[in-house]
Amino acid sequence: MKRSIAIFTMSAMLLSSYMTMQAPASAAASTTTAISSSIAKGHIVGGVNLRNKPSLSSGKIIGFLKKGTNVAILDKSNKYYYKVKTSGGHTGYVSKSSKYIKLSSNSSQSKPGQGSEVSSSLTEKINLVIKTGKKYLGTPYEFGSDRSTTYTFDCSDFVKQAYKEALGIVLPADSRKQGDWIKEQGTAVYNIGSLKAGDLVFFMSYKGSSASAYAGVDKSSEKITHVAIYLGNGQLLHTYSNKSGGVRIDTLSKSWEHRFLFGGSVLK
């Protein structure tokens, strides 16, 4: 009988010890889950679309977040989008642009010291894009060119190839969607003097070579018909016809200046 009581007592002690050891592990797991499920808090400062994918071209709009909405940021999914969760439990992706969302004061978008590293590398990235684009000087123009080859380009295919090949950034397929994408990133500028090297530059249709041909035109209602890469110093790298020689460098003056709608940076 004494042996049975001893065995029972030992078993109870082991069970109690096991339960005591497991409880902290379970609590730690819960804490880890809570931390990983929300890496930061965000505040919507400008109405923004909620998408099902972190992409302007392929992500479908599944909702709209009004100014003043607070969200949990679940993942900094890519360079341009946050994965967020609303108080109502809806999950999706929103633009990282400061025009639409700001992180709470106790959250950080970058590690200490990272800002200076990004700034110093930005010029290198832009130079790589420009160098890649110049590699295709003289490549024939073809409207609706095959996006899977580099034998010919139209304007939007060319700028897309330059950024994809140089930095792995996949821009939308056509110039109008590229323009919408730039606006969504919050980098659009409407003054030629504000353009920076590497910016995408958007133009409306040709109406004539003189300024008078564009007098009274409401550019806000004009459609984008052309896109180029700005090289700085008033120069454009682009393609628009076989007659002009395919991919080439032009000066942002005369009719190009009159046709200018806006431009903006792909990189931040």
Side-chain angles (χ1 to χ4, degrees):
M1 177 65 73
K2 290 182 178 180
R3 184 178 179 182
S4 298
I5 292 173
I7 292 173
F8 175 79
T9 302
M10 184 176 291
S11 298
M13 290 174 64
L14 287 171
L15 178 60
S16 175
S17 175
Y18 174 79
M19 291 175 68
T20 302
M21 291 172 64
Q22 292 303 308
S26 176
S30 298
T31 303
T32 301
T33 300
I35 292 173
S36 63
S37 64
S38 177
I39 63 173
K41 299 294 182 181
H43 182 71
I44 303 301
V45 295
V48 62
N49 289 325
L50 184 70
R51 299 178 182 274
N52 66 343
K53 294 181 181 179
S55 170
L56 178 64
S57 57
S58 62
K60 294 182 179 179
I61 297 173
I62 57 175
F64 183 81
L65 304 183
K66 295 181 179 180
K67 180 180 179 180
T69 303
N70 291 318
V71 295
I73 297 175
L74 305 181
D75 181 34
K76 298 176 181 180
S77 53
N78 66 18
K79 187 179 294 185
Y80 303 106
Y81 285 87
Y82 288 131
K83 183 178 182 181
V84 304
K85 186 175 183 178
T86 68
S87 58
H90 300 292
T91 302
Y93 298 87
V94 298
S95 168
K96 282 186 176 180
S97 171
S98 59
K99 177 181 178 181
Y100 302 112
I101 187 170
K102 290 188 182 297
L103 298 187
S104 60
S105 58
N106 61 347
S107 301
S108 175
Q109 295 193 50
S110 60
K111 296 179 181 179
Q114 187 177 13
S116 59
E117 293 175 7
V118 171
S119 298
S120 63
S121 66
L122 185 60
T123 299
E124 293 178 6
K125 291 179 179 179
I126 291 171
N127 287 340
L128 182 57
V129 170
I130 291 173
K131 180 180 178 181
T132 302
K134 285 183 176 180
K135 181 177 76 174
Y136 293 106
L137 284 169
T139 300
Y141 174 87
E142 180 186 14
F143 180 75
S145 56
D146 185 346
R147 265 52 178 168
S148 65
T149 76
T150 56
Y151 298 126
T152 61
F153 293 115
D154 61 17
C155 64
S156 55
D157 185 21
F158 169 65
V159 300
K160 182 178 180 180
Q161 178 64 29
Y163 269 95
K164 180 180 178 181
E165 186 176 329
L167 304 176
I169 296 174
V170 181
L171 297 171
D174 64 67
S175 59
R176 291 176 189 172
K177 289 181 179 178
Q178 289 170 356
D180 289 340
W181 185 84
I182 287 292
K183 287 181 178 180
E184 185 166 307
Q185 304 317 303
T187 65
V189 295
Y190 297 85
N191 187 308
I192 289 177
S194 299
L195 292 173
K196 304 182 299 296
D199 283 3
L200 299 189
V201 192
F202 301 94
F203 302 89
M204 65 179 180
S205 59
Y206 178 80
K207 300 180 183 299
S209 59
S210 65
S212 60
Y214 301 85
V217 172
D218 180 6
K219 289 190 174 183
S220 65
S221 64
E222 289 290 320
K223 293 181 179 180
I224 293 170
T225 60
H226 184 65
V227 61
I229 296 174
Y230 189 63
L231 299 180
N233 299 317
Q235 291 187 311
L236 300 172
L237 178 62
H238 60 163
T239 183
Y240 57 91
S241 72
N242 267 327
K243 184 178 180 180
S244 66
V247 178
R248 57 177 287 155
I249 295 174
D250 277 312
T251 302
L252 180 48
S253 61
K254 299 181 180 179
S255 65
W256 290 118
E257 183 177 2
H258 304 320
R259 293 172 60 186
F260 171 78
L261 294 175
F262 65 93
S265 176
V266 172
L267 304 174
K268 293 184 180 181

